[in-house]
Amino acid sequence: MEHTESASSLPPDKIFIGRIQEMELFRKLLSQWQSDLSSGNSEALNGPPSPHQRIPGFAVFLFGQGGIGKTTLLQRFHQMALAQLPRYTIPAHPIDWEFVIGDEHRRLFNLPPGSHLDPLLYFDLLRERLRSSLGREDDFKEYKTTVQKVRKAREQAQQVLTSLKQDEHFSSWLPKLISEGMATGLGALFPPAGPFLRSDAVKEGISRGLAFTESQWTQLWTKLRGKLDQNLTYYLEPHVHLGLALGRDLAGFAKSKPILFFFDTYEEIDEGDRYLRIAMGAAGSHVGWVIAGRDDIWSGLEQQKRYIELVDGYKDLVLSRRSLALDFTSGSVGIFTLNEVIEYFTRFQREVPELKS
């Protein structure tokens, strides 16, 4: 028992062996990013990223099973970045999502199948953590303005939906839609450019026992459009507006001094990853991200399990010259030589007193 307690109290980064190849790849990528930014060009997206409009910033992903050393390697990367990029803004510590979200926020991400993560709650949490890690005052001006627009659009839309619940054309399905909380996610049911339902939305509605016709949906669209006018997209696609606004604020902060964020235990909040990538794209080339977690967001396997619609992995959304993926899933845990294994246990024995004898 004493042996277990002493060994477990050893700091995780006290003994660091191997990962030479991974650290060299990271060092070269940092150098490439520095070189790209030295040209003075600034790139950013004005909409959600896609395989044709890729996130222009620095992006590194560590993913795979627990206990394989992702956190320790992330900490090494953090130390390397601090040493190699002295003129960049790098928060003093990585954001570890396991410890910075309480039970209230954790419930935000424990969603039943088919439910939509509230983008206002998600982006408020993300913005607060980024603000805190940067040590800035609450000066996310474009984001705060966008939050007000989204809230106003929600209020206007709610007035329309409340009145329509009394309409016989909508009373058979609209109340259930609202009661299940789907009213805040109508953007997933039909696109902002027109009233026509997406095929996956029809499947979702049928699975929930909702019976609606194209005519009813067109009427709903017409009512919402008449009340909200140009603000309709703030109701239908708030995540796009909020993500772009947050990203543009970050781009402004990084204009003269690039920023590099580090996220650990990202699986705690990656239900909102489709929102984060919008902010990453809008933040542009002067903002970098190093993300470690258990889920394979590189290939997009986890997102594809969660959602009906097609979701791209980061391998199709980032620039190859500014990105790196380190796969620590089973069978891809990295290569350790025999000498490195021997060195590890020799040093481990020296660090744990009861093993010296």
Side-chain angles (χ1 to χ4, degrees), residues 13-44:
D13 59 348
K14 182 71 174 180
I15 301 176
F16 189 86
I17 300 296
R19 302 302 188 201
I20 303 301
Q21 180 180 4
E22 289 89 344
M23 290 190 293
E24 180 60 18
L25 288 171
F26 184 73
R27 185 194 65 77
K28 289 182 177 179
L29 197 66
L30 286 177
S31 297
Q32 178 63 55
W33 189 35
Q34 283 180 290
S35 177
D36 288 349
L37 297 188
S38 66
S39 67
N41 293 330
S42 179
E43 308 162 68

Short mmCIF file of all heavy atoms in Angstrom, two decimals, residues 13-44:
data_model
loop_
_atom_site.label_atom_id
_atom_site.label_comp_id
_atom_site.label_asym_id
_atom_site.label_seq_id
_atom_site.Cartn_x
_atom_site.Cartn_y
_atom_site.Cartn_z
N ASP A 13 4.85 14.40 -14.80
CA ASP A 13 5.91 14.80 -15.73
C ASP A 13 7.29 14.77 -15.09
O ASP A 13 8.26 15.30 -15.62
CB ASP A 13 5.63 16.21 -16.26
CG ASP A 13 5.54 17.24 -15.15
OD1 ASP A 13 5.49 16.83 -13.98
OD2 ASP A 13 5.54 18.44 -15.47
N LYS A 14 7.41 14.09 -13.91
CA LYS A 14 8.70 14.00 -13.24
C LYS A 14 9.68 13.17 -14.06
O LYS A 14 10.87 13.49 -14.16
CB LYS A 14 8.51 13.36 -11.85
CG LYS A 14 9.79 13.25 -11.03
CD LYS A 14 10.25 14.60 -10.56
CE LYS A 14 11.44 14.48 -9.61
NZ LYS A 14 11.89 15.80 -9.16
N ILE A 15 9.18 12.10 -14.65
CA ILE A 15 10.00 11.26 -15.51
C ILE A 15 9.39 11.30 -16.91
O ILE A 15 8.24 10.92 -17.10
CB ILE A 15 10.05 9.80 -15.00
CG1 ILE A 15 10.61 9.74 -13.59
CG2 ILE A 15 10.88 8.94 -15.94
CD1 ILE A 15 10.59 8.36 -12.98
N PHE A 16 10.16 11.79 -17.85
CA PHE A 16 9.66 11.89 -19.22
C PHE A 16 10.67 11.22 -20.14
O PHE A 16 11.80 11.67 -20.28
CB PHE A 16 9.47 13.36 -19.61
CG PHE A 16 8.76 13.53 -20.94
CD1 PHE A 16 7.38 13.53 -20.99
CD2 PHE A 16 9.48 13.68 -22.11
CE1 PHE A 16 6.71 13.69 -22.19
CE2 PHE A 16 8.82 13.84 -23.32
CZ PHE A 16 7.44 13.85 -23.36
N ILE A 17 10.24 10.12 -20.74
CA ILE A 17 11.12 9.33 -21.60
C ILE A 17 10.47 9.21 -22.98
O ILE A 17 9.26 9.01 -23.10
CB ILE A 17 11.35 7.91 -21.02
CG1 ILE A 17 12.00 8.02 -19.64
CG2 ILE A 17 12.21 7.08 -21.95
CD1 ILE A 17 13.37 8.63 -19.63
N GLY A 18 11.27 9.28 -24.02
CA GLY A 18 10.77 9.06 -25.37
C GLY A 18 10.00 10.24 -25.91
O GLY A 18 10.22 11.39 -25.52
N ARG A 19 9.10 9.99 -26.83
CA ARG A 19 8.31 11.00 -27.52
C ARG A 19 9.20 11.99 -28.26
O ARG A 19 8.80 13.14 -28.49
CB ARG A 19 7.38 11.73 -26.56
CG ARG A 19 6.41 10.86 -25.79
CD ARG A 19 5.52 10.06 -26.70
NE ARG A 19 4.46 9.35 -25.98
CZ ARG A 19 3.81 8.31 -26.46
NH1 ARG A 19 4.14 7.82 -27.64
NH2 ARG A 19 2.86 7.74 -25.76
N ILE A 20 10.41 11.54 -28.61
CA ILE A 20 11.35 12.42 -29.32
C ILE A 20 10.78 12.83 -30.67
O ILE A 20 10.84 14.00 -31.05
CB ILE A 20 12.71 11.72 -29.50
CG1 ILE A 20 13.28 11.29 -28.14
CG2 ILE A 20 13.68 12.65 -30.22
CD1 ILE A 20 13.47 12.42 -27.18
N GLN A 21 10.24 11.85 -31.39
CA GLN A 21 9.70 12.15 -32.72
C GLN A 21 8.54 13.13 -32.63
O GLN A 21 8.45 14.08 -33.43
CB GLN A 21 9.24 10.85 -33.40
CG GLN A 21 8.68 11.07 -34.79
CD GLN A 21 8.24 9.76 -35.44
OE1 GLN A 21 8.30 8.69 -34.83
NE2 GLN A 21 7.79 9.85 -36.68
N GLU A 22 7.63 12.92 -31.66
CA GLU A 22 6.48 13.78 -31.52
C GLU A 22 6.89 15.22 -31.19
O GLU A 22 6.35 16.19 -31.74
CB GLU A 22 5.53 13.26 -30.44
CG GLU A 22 4.78 11.99 -30.82
CD GLU A 22 5.55 10.72 -30.47
OE1 GLU A 22 6.77 10.82 -30.22
OE2 GLU A 22 4.93 9.64 -30.42
N MET A 23 7.87 15.36 -30.30
CA MET A 23 8.32 16.70 -29.92
C MET A 23 9.03 17.40 -31.07
O MET A 23 8.91 18.62 -31.24
CB MET A 23 9.21 16.62 -28.68
CG MET A 23 8.46 16.26 -27.41
SD MET A 23 9.43 16.45 -25.90
CE MET A 23 10.66 15.16 -26.14
N GLU A 24 9.76 16.64 -31.88
CA GLU A 24 10.42 17.24 -33.03
C GLU A 24 9.40 17.70 -34.07
O GLU A 24 9.55 18.77 -34.68
CB GLU A 24 11.40 16.25 -33.66
CG GLU A 24 12.15 16.75 -34.88
CD GLU A 24 13.01 17.98 -34.60
OE1 GLU A 24 13.31 18.26 -33.42
OE2 GLU A 24 13.38 18.65 -35.57
N LEU A 25 8.35 16.91 -34.28
CA LEU A 25 7.29 17.31 -35.19
C LEU A 25 6.62 18.59 -34.71
O LEU A 25 6.32 19.49 -35.51
CB LEU A 25 6.25 16.19 -35.32
CG LEU A 25 6.67 14.94 -36.09
CD1 LEU A 25 5.60 13.85 -35.95
CD2 LEU A 25 6.91 15.26 -37.56
N PHE A 26 6.41 18.67 -33.40
CA PHE A 26 5.77 19.87 -32.84
C PHE A 26 6.69 21.08 -33.00
O PHE A 26 6.24 22.17 -33.37
CB PHE A 26 5.44 19.63 -31.36
CG PHE A 26 4.70 20.76 -30.71
CD1 PHE A 26 3.37 21.00 -30.99
CD2 PHE A 26 5.34 21.60 -29.80
CE1 PHE A 26 2.67 22.04 -30.39
CE2 PHE A 26 4.66 22.65 -29.19
CZ PHE A 26 3.32 22.86 -29.49
N ARG A 27 7.97 20.90 -32.74
CA ARG A 27 8.93 22.01 -32.87
C ARG A 27 8.95 22.53 -34.31
O ARG A 27 8.92 23.75 -34.54
CB ARG A 27 10.32 21.55 -32.46
CG ARG A 27 11.36 22.67 -32.46
CD ARG A 27 12.77 22.13 -32.40
NE ARG A 27 13.09 21.37 -33.61
CZ ARG A 27 13.40 21.93 -34.78
NH1 ARG A 27 13.39 23.26 -34.92
NH2 ARG A 27 13.67 21.19 -35.82
N LYS A 28 8.98 21.62 -35.27
CA LYS A 28 9.00 22.03 -36.68
C LYS A 28 7.72 22.76 -37.07
O LYS A 28 7.75 23.72 -37.85
CB LYS A 28 9.21 20.81 -37.57
CG LYS A 28 10.61 20.23 -37.50
CD LYS A 28 10.75 19.04 -38.46
CE LYS A 28 12.17 18.50 -38.44
NZ LYS A 28 12.34 17.33 -39.35
N LEU A 29 6.59 22.29 -36.53
CA LEU A 29 5.32 22.93 -36.85
C LEU A 29 5.26 24.34 -36.29
O LEU A 29 4.76 25.27 -36.94
CB LEU A 29 4.16 22.09 -36.33
CG LEU A 29 2.79 22.41 -36.92
CD1 LEU A 29 2.75 22.07 -38.41
CD2 LEU A 29 1.69 21.65 -36.19
N LEU A 30 5.78 24.53 -35.07
CA LEU A 30 5.85 25.87 -34.50
C LEU A 30 6.69 26.79 -35.37
O LEU A 30 6.33 27.95 -35.62
CB LEU A 30 6.44 25.82 -33.08
CG LEU A 30 5.56 25.28 -31.96
CD1 LEU A 30 6.36 25.24 -30.65
CD2 LEU A 30 4.31 26.11 -31.77
N SER A 31 7.81 26.25 -35.86
CA SER A 31 8.68 27.05 -36.73
C SER A 31 7.99 27.41 -38.03
O SER A 31 8.13 28.54 -38.53
CB SER A 31 9.98 26.27 -37.02
OG SER A 31 10.72 26.05 -35.84
N GLN A 32 7.22 26.46 -38.58
CA GLN A 32 6.49 26.72 -39.81
C GLN A 32 5.45 27.82 -39.59
O GLN A 32 5.26 28.71 -40.43
CB GLN A 32 5.80 25.44 -40.29
CG GLN A 32 4.96 25.60 -41.56
CD GLN A 32 5.77 25.99 -42.76
OE1 GLN A 32 6.74 25.31 -43.10
NE2 GLN A 32 5.41 27.10 -43.41
N TRP A 33 4.77 27.76 -38.47
CA TRP A 33 3.76 28.77 -38.13
C TRP A 33 4.41 30.15 -37.99
O TRP A 33 3.92 31.14 -38.54
CB TRP A 33 3.04 28.37 -36.85
CG TRP A 33 1.85 29.20 -36.51
CD1 TRP A 33 0.95 29.77 -37.36
CD2 TRP A 33 1.41 29.56 -35.18
NE1 TRP A 33 -0.03 30.44 -36.67
CE2 TRP A 33 0.22 30.32 -35.34
CE3 TRP A 33 1.88 29.27 -33.91
CZ2 TRP A 33 -0.48 30.83 -34.24
CZ3 TRP A 33 1.18 29.77 -32.81
CH2 TRP A 33 0.02 30.54 -32.98
N GLN A 34 5.54 30.19 -37.28
CA GLN A 34 6.26 31.45 -37.14
C GLN A 34 6.64 32.02 -38.50
O GLN A 34 6.48 33.22 -38.76
CB GLN A 34 7.54 31.24 -36.32
CG GLN A 34 7.34 31.12 -34.82
CD GLN A 34 8.66 30.92 -34.11
OE1 GLN A 34 9.29 29.87 -34.21
NE2 GLN A 34 9.10 31.94 -33.41
N SER A 35 7.14 31.16 -39.35
CA SER A 35 7.56 31.59 -40.69
C SER A 35 6.38 32.13 -41.50
O SER A 35 6.49 33.16 -42.17
CB SER A 35 8.21 30.42 -41.42
OG SER A 35 8.57 30.78 -42.74
N ASP A 36 5.24 31.43 -41.42
CA ASP A 36 4.05 31.87 -42.14
C ASP A 36 3.59 33.25 -41.67
O ASP A 36 3.24 34.12 -42.49
CB ASP A 36 2.91 30.87 -41.98
CG ASP A 36 3.14 29.58 -42.75
OD1 ASP A 36 4.06 29.54 -43.58
OD2 ASP A 36 2.39 28.61 -42.51
N LEU A 37 3.61 33.46 -40.36
CA LEU A 37 3.10 34.71 -39.81
C LEU A 37 4.07 35.87 -40.04
O LEU A 37 3.66 37.03 -40.04
CB LEU A 37 2.81 34.57 -38.31
CG LEU A 37 1.73 33.57 -37.92
CD1 LEU A 37 1.41 33.69 -36.43
CD2 LEU A 37 0.46 33.77 -38.74
N SER A 38 5.33 35.56 -40.25
CA SER A 38 6.32 36.62 -40.47
C SER A 38 6.08 37.36 -41.78
O SER A 38 6.57 38.47 -41.97
CB SER A 38 7.74 36.03 -40.46
OG SER A 38 7.93 35.16 -41.56
N SER A 39 5.32 36.74 -42.67
CA SER A 39 5.01 37.39 -43.95
C SER A 39 4.06 38.56 -43.78
O SER A 39 3.92 39.40 -44.66
CB SER A 39 4.40 36.37 -44.92
OG SER A 39 3.12 35.95 -44.46
N GLY A 40 3.38 38.59 -42.63
CA GLY A 40 2.46 39.69 -42.35
C GLY A 40 1.04 39.46 -42.83
O GLY A 40 0.15 40.25 -42.54
N ASN A 41 0.80 38.38 -43.56
CA ASN A 41 -0.54 38.09 -44.05
C ASN A 41 -1.42 37.54 -42.92
O ASN A 41 -0.96 36.76 -42.08
CB ASN A 41 -0.49 37.07 -45.18
CG ASN A 41 0.19 37.65 -46.42
OD1 ASN A 41 0.12 38.86 -46.66
ND2 ASN A 41 0.85 36.81 -47.19
N SER A 42 -2.67 37.95 -42.93
CA SER A 42 -3.63 37.47 -41.94
C SER A 42 -4.81 36.82 -42.66
O SER A 42 -5.40 37.43 -43.55
CB SER A 42 -4.12 38.62 -41.06
OG SER A 42 -5.05 38.17 -40.11
N GLU A 43 -5.13 35.60 -42.28
CA GLU A 43 -6.23 34.86 -42.91
C GLU A 43 -7.29 34.54 -41.87
O GLU A 43 -6.97 34.25 -40.72
CB GLU A 43 -5.72 33.56 -43.53
CG GLU A 43 -4.52 33.73 -44.46
CD GLU A 43 -3.80 32.41 -44.68
OE1 GLU A 43 -4.40 31.52 -45.32
OE2 GLU A 43 -2.67 32.26 -44.19
N ALA A 44 -8.54 34.55 -42.26
CA ALA A 44 -9.64 34.20 -41.37
C ALA A 44 -10.85 33.81 -42.20
O ALA A 44 -10.97 34.20 -43.37
CB ALA A 44 -9.99 35.35 -40.43
#
